[in-house]
Structures are given as C-alpha cells and as structure tokens.
Amino acid sequence: MTEIVFIVQSITQPRCIKRIEAFINAGYSVKVYGFQTGLYTENLDNITFPIEKIITRNKKDSRLKKVFFFYNQIREILKQNKKSVFYFFGFEIGAIASIIGCSNFIYEEADVSASRFKNSILRNTLLNLDRRIIRKSICTILTSEGFVSYLFKENPPNNIFIQANKLDVFFEKTDRQKIPGKKIDINNLKFGFIGLIRYPNTIVRFARVVGSNYKNHEFHFFGDLENENFIDKNEFKKYTNVFFHGSFKNPTDLEKIYETVDVNIVCYDTSSGNVKIAEPNKLYESIFFKTPIVVSKETFLSTKVEKFQIGVGIDASNDHSIINFIDSLSEQQLKSYIDKMELIPTMSLIDNNKELFDFVNPRLNRMFND
C-alpha cells in the first residue's frame, strides 16, 4: 500500500493529530511533515507517531512572506515524495501544493480562509481556487455542513465528507454518566473561554464586561494568546475576577477544565465570514461536559445550539448586549440547558472514524490500484 504523506499547517492542532492517528489505526503507512509557530506546544507530548520534520515559522511574518515560506517548504516535500498520496490540512497548504501541480491528494478544511477577505474580488478569486482544490482532490474532509452550502450552494461534488470536529476517541473511555451536573449558583457564575485566545471584540470584551461590572462572577481563560495585542495586560490586572490559566493539553486536560466552568463562552467575532459557517469543537465539548454554551447569534453554530436548546446566541460585540444577557440569566434556564445536554447520546459527540473510512477507503483503493 502506498504511504500517505501528511503536510500539516499546524502540527500541534489536536484535530490534525487525531486525524493522523485515525489513518494509522486504519492501517495506513504515513509520513508526517508539520509547521508550527509555538502555539499549543504541549500537544506535541500527546503525539504517538514519528514526525519526519517539524518546520518552525514566525507567526508575525507578513502574509506574503508566509506564502513564500510555505511555497519553498512544500515544493521540497513534494519533490522528496513524488510517488506518494498526500494529505493537505488547510487552504494555504492545499492551494500552494495544487498550484505547484500536485494532483494525488486528500484535502481537509476546517476554516474557509477565503471568506475572511473584505475585498470581494480577492475573496471570490480565492473561493474559486478553494472549489477547484476540492474538485481535484481524491476526497475532501470538511468540518462543517455550513462550509458545503457556502461554497457550493445546492450542487456540491460527491467527493466531500463532513467530519464534524467532535471529541477525540480518547473520550470513549470516559463514563459520561459519572460527570457531575453543574451546581449552578446564579449569584456566582464562572464563565470560561477554552482554546486559542483571540476575538478581542467579542470574547475579550465579554471578559472585560464581567471584570468591570460583575464582581460576584468570574471569567476564566484557558489557552494560549494568539496575539499579545488582543489583551491590555495592565487593564486586566485590575480585574480580580478574571483569570488566565495558560495553555493546556488536549484532550487530557479537558475534563478538569470543564469542571471549573459553569458557562462556556464561544462568541467568535462574526466580522470573520468563516465564523458564520463554522461548527467548532466547542459545541461537542460543551455537550459532553454538560456545560451551557453561549455563541454569536445569526451563525450556523447558533442555529444548532438553539435547535438542541443547550444554550443561546447573543451579540457579544457590544457591552450593553452582554450586560442584558448576564442580567437575564436564571438558574432554571441554565439547568434546562444541562438537562437537554444529558439527553444527547454520548457516541454522537465522539469522532466516528468508521464512517470516515467507509468513505475514504474505496477512493484511496482506486488511486492506489491505478
């Protein structure tokens, strides 16, 4: 069987690690090349497979410098592995490799990067390139149904598989029935954000509102800070009820973290087009750990949260809206969200790799046998 060469845009990203492990467990021979910028480095300790090369890049590089850096590195990897089938994580990797001329590849996209651009000509050009990559791929793994309708309306190609970013199979060993329900104290709530700290206009704003207006409540950050400029550390020093716990290991630290959070704040900034169509892993983590979730309204995520009745969508881009939301919270409301979460089957929250490989294997077999 021909090996699969993975080129990973962020080698410390838990989703990428678990996907590579899934291919190994399915019997594939793999070779892994990964880029990293110094974020999520604790997750390197969780990696059980050998890595051919970790390529460090400066996260402060300009977009143009980043593209040239990727181009030179990817060209060399393709040259060294000419007879392999490749697996590209992320639009930048897929676009560059496709432009170079690679045609034997699987593509995975968890972020429609092109949707972020304000310039409509540039955005549409990149979206057309994204569609071309998907159509040329052996198969494409997308992490949100919202991506399909955004990119292809009602006529998607038949080589797309939706693999929502659910929990790692690590949690199959966890007895969810023994995870205690939250003991809600409506007068002393612990709000939390778990992941890469960004979105200063929503997530950081929410923490600031809690810090300055609700001394009886707390806000907890778990994770690395994407950009030092997102938080004024001198300002946040004056808030005695806002806490920064730093980076953590995913998946091993998640249960302990969610034990300390009453309400999961996942209000990503909708000025990024991708946020409106994404289905982040925080949805499945929140349900699994029975933690009510607050998201940005008028997004694909908010429709799912409100359909399941496990949280609410708000406009977290202004202080008044956040204050109205916090003031309106009730113990009964939060407990009803938890009750709904307990009814959702555990296995629907964890990666189902059987369905993934039922889709992938026949396509790879055809490629290997050609």
Side-chain angles (χ1 to χ4, degrees), residues 244-286:
F244 294 86
H245 300 281
S247 56
F248 59 92
K249 291 182 181 180
N250 186 330
T252 51
D253 290 343
L254 284 180
E255 184 171 359
K256 178 175 62 178
I257 288 170
Y258 274 93
E259 284 176 359
T260 68
V261 173
D262 295 325
V263 182
N264 196 12
I265 305 302
V266 192
C267 302
Y268 299 157
D269 191 340
T270 57
S271 63
S272 167
N274 186 71
V275 166
K276 295 179 181 179
I277 55 177
E279 187 177 338
N281 59 345
K282 300 306 161 199
L283 171 65
Y284 299 97
E285 289 178 10
S286 297

Side-chain angles (χ1 to χ4, degrees), residues 90-141:
F91 173 69
E92 287 87 346
I93 305 293
I96 291 169
S98 181
I99 289 169
I100 291 172
C102 182
S103 58
N104 297 336
F105 65 90
I106 298 173
Y107 178 46
E108 177 162 337
E109 191 168 24
D111 184 349
V112 182
S113 305
S115 66
R116 297 176 178 176
F117 288 90
K118 304 298 182 186
N119 183 299
S120 60
I121 296 174
L122 178 59
R123 182 176 65 249
N124 289 332
T125 299
L126 293 176
L127 286 172
N128 283 332
L129 176 57
D130 204 0
R131 296 182 186 104
R132 180 172 174 268
I133 296 166
I134 292 170
R135 289 191 175 102
K136 283 183 62 179
S137 69
I138 299 167
C139 55
T140 287
I141 316 301

